[in-house]
């Protein structure tokens, strides 16, 4: 039996449910070390606004450490997690996402990618071990940043936009408003059985930034919208990253398409970074 708090009961009617669409196998896979990577990235951006990246150079150790720290944090008692919230805009959030009143079956940490800001907030996220949590985040984010500079330079080259660093320099800018989330989509089997559908964790949206880099533990849950409007499930992958084109990248070239996506999965812990 599920007993919901008063707060949970009020929000539940607002949280959408959907039927996942599994079985799609057409997500482009780009090997970053391939000589054809640039051209393939541009094709994927044109057709899907989304692709999977392999041989990306981010050490698996950074990904696992971050995932372990995320799981530890979300396993804390609610009262302890609440000490790191509400997000203003950074910090711990639960069900309420963003400033527009959106809600979802999700809890998350939203952080800046700036190392000083990360260290500051870590004392409220992990008062016992702020350095351990902080170094897991800083190592992961800085390694993903380096990979993303390279991805953007390859896309610029593939599109023949000059100079090569026209996109990556926006990320390197100290004033960049890039952000990092660790999302947790808690299990809710009883409620889903009640509705006969899965609850949506992070509703349909596009990302306003240039690019988002997503990673999740090996769990289904992410869906993207194809050009024809069909929503398809992205098969999960423990080792790879998924790149999603944001609204701002689309402004650089009419050839590129942005993408709607949503995330609904129970049990999923994901760590997207958006620039
Ligand atoms: C529901 C929402 C959360 C979000 C703003 C939005 O209305 C749609 C985009 C969301 C997103 C995704 C990438 C980043 O995590 C984020 C901070 C952003 O800029 O756009 C979030 C927004 C948010 O959490 O406020
Ligand atoms: O948790 C995820 O993988 C999706 C998150 C997401 O859509 C976002 O941060 O924009």
């Amino acid at each position: 039996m599920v007993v919901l708090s008063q707060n949970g009961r009020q929000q539940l009617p607002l949280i959408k449910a959907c039927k996942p669409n599994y079985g799609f196998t057409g997500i482009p896979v780009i090997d970053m070390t391939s000589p054809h990577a640039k051209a393939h990235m541009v094709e994927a951006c044109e057709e899907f606004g989304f692709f999977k990246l392999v041989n990306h150079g981010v050490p698996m150790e950074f990904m696992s450490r971050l995932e372990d720290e995320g799981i530890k944090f979300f396993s804390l008692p609610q009262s302890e997690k609440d000490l790191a919230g509400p997000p203003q805009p950074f910090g711990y959030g639960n069900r309420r996402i963003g400033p527009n009143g959106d809600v979802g079956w999700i809890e998350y940490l939203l952080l800046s990618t700036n190392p000083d800001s990360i260290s500051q907030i870590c004392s409220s996220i992990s008062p016992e071990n702020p350095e351990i949590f902080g170094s897991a985040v800083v190592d992961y984010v800085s390694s993903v940043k380096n990979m993303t500079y390279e991805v953007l330079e390859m896309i610029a080259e593939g599109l023949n936009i000059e100079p090569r660093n026209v996109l990556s320099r926006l990320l390197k800018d100290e004033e960049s408003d890039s952000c990092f989330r660790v999302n947790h989509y808690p299990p809710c089997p009883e409620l889903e059985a009640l509705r006969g559908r899965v609850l949506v964790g992070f509703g349909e949206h596009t990302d306003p930034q240039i690019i988002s880099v997503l990673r999740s533990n090996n769990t289904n849950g992410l869906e993207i919208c194809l050009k024809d409007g069909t929503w398809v499930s992205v098969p999960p992958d423990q080792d790879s990253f998924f790149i999603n084109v944001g609204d701002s990248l689309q402004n650089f070239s009419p050839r590129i398409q942005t993408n709607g996506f949503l995330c609904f999965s129970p049990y999923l812990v994901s760590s997207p970074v958006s620039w």
Side-chain angles (χ1 to χ4, degrees):
M1 185 176 117
V2 183
V3 180
L4 287 174
S5 65
Q6 184 62 25
N7 187 19
R9 251 179 277 152
Q10 277 162 359
Q11 285 181 18
L12 199 57
L14 302 173
I15 296 175
K16 296 192 182 116
C18 74
K19 280 214 183 336
N21 181 1
Y22 298 120
F24 183 71
T25 54
I27 304 287
V29 181
I30 315 271
D31 178 346
M32 252 183 109
T33 60
S34 155
H36 308 294
K38 289 173 211 154
H40 288 164
M41 276 181 200
V42 171
E43 279 163 27
C45 289
E46 286 172 348
E47 189 52 37
F48 293 91
F50 189 87
F51 57 88
K52 173 164 143 174
L53 202 57
V54 299
N55 285 327
H56 45 67
V58 176
M60 193 61 209
E61 186 229 324
F62 290 176
M63 309 204 267
S64 319
R65 201 145 52 88
L66 196 263
E67 189 175 310
D68 293 346
E69 289 303 316
I71 290 171
K72 260 195 249 163
F73 173 78
F74 291 118
S75 308
L76 290 173
Q78 190 61 48
S79 56
E80 287 183 40
K81 291 186 278 191
D82 285 340
L83 296 175
Q88 294 173 327
F90 302 123
Y92 170 74
N94 190 355
R95 310 230 179 110
R96 293 173 200 280
I97 322 167
N100 305 331
D102 292 312
V103 289
W105 196 254
I106 184 175
E107 56 177 346
Y108 61 91
L109 283 168
L110 178 59
L111 307 176
S112 150
T113 63
N114 175 302
D116 295 335
S117 157
I118 293 171
S119 308
Q120 255 178 18
I121 203 162
C122 282
S123 44
S124 63
I125 294 172
S126 176
E128 312 269 304
N129 290 308
E131 303 80 23
I132 296 180
F133 191 90
S135 79
V137 174
V138 168
D139 288 348
Y140 177 83
V141 169
S142 70
S143 189
V144 172
K145 262 187 187 174
N146 289 332
M147 174 196 80
T148 311
Y149 299 151
E150 188 57 28
V151 169
L152 285 178
E153 288 175 10
M154 289 166 110
I155 292 177
E157 277 192 67
L159 286 167
N160 292 319
I161 307 179
E162 286 186 352
R164 185 178 194 262
N165 69 349
V166 66
L167 301 168
S168 62
R169 71 184 175 199
L170 300 171
L171 273 58
K172 289 181 188 171
D173 189 336
E174 295 227 329
E175 303 283 298
S176 147
D177 62 354
S178 58
C179 60
F180 168 60
R181 315 180 71 97
V182 189
N183 293 329
H184 176 223
Y185 302 91
C188 47
E190 293 87 353
L191 290 172
E192 290 178 339
L194 219 63
R195 290 190 177 188
R197 291 172 160 233
V198 291
L199 294 179
V200 172
F202 202 129
E204 177 181 339
H205 66 284
T206 60
D207 286 347
Q209 289 87 357
I210 297 175
I211 198 166
S212 295
V213 180
L214 299 138
R215 181 188 174 260
S216 66
N217 56 351
N218 214 1
T219 309
N220 272 301
L222 185 62
E223 291 211 350
I224 61 163
C225 186
L226 303 181
K227 268 183 176 170
D228 66 2
T230 325
W231 285 90
V232 294
S233 188
V234 176
D237 189 311
Q238 180 79 1
D239 306 330
S240 311
F241 285 97
F242 291 96
I243 304 289
N244 187 56
V245 168
D247 301 336
S248 310
L249 181 54
Q250 201 184 22
N251 296 335
F252 280 85
S253 167
R255 288 171 62 190
I256 278 187
Q257 76 152 359
T258 192
N259 208 322
F261 69 126
L262 91 163
C263 203
F264 55 81
S265 184
Y267 309 112
L268 185 71
V269 178
S270 72
S271 39
V273 196
S274 305
W275 281 279

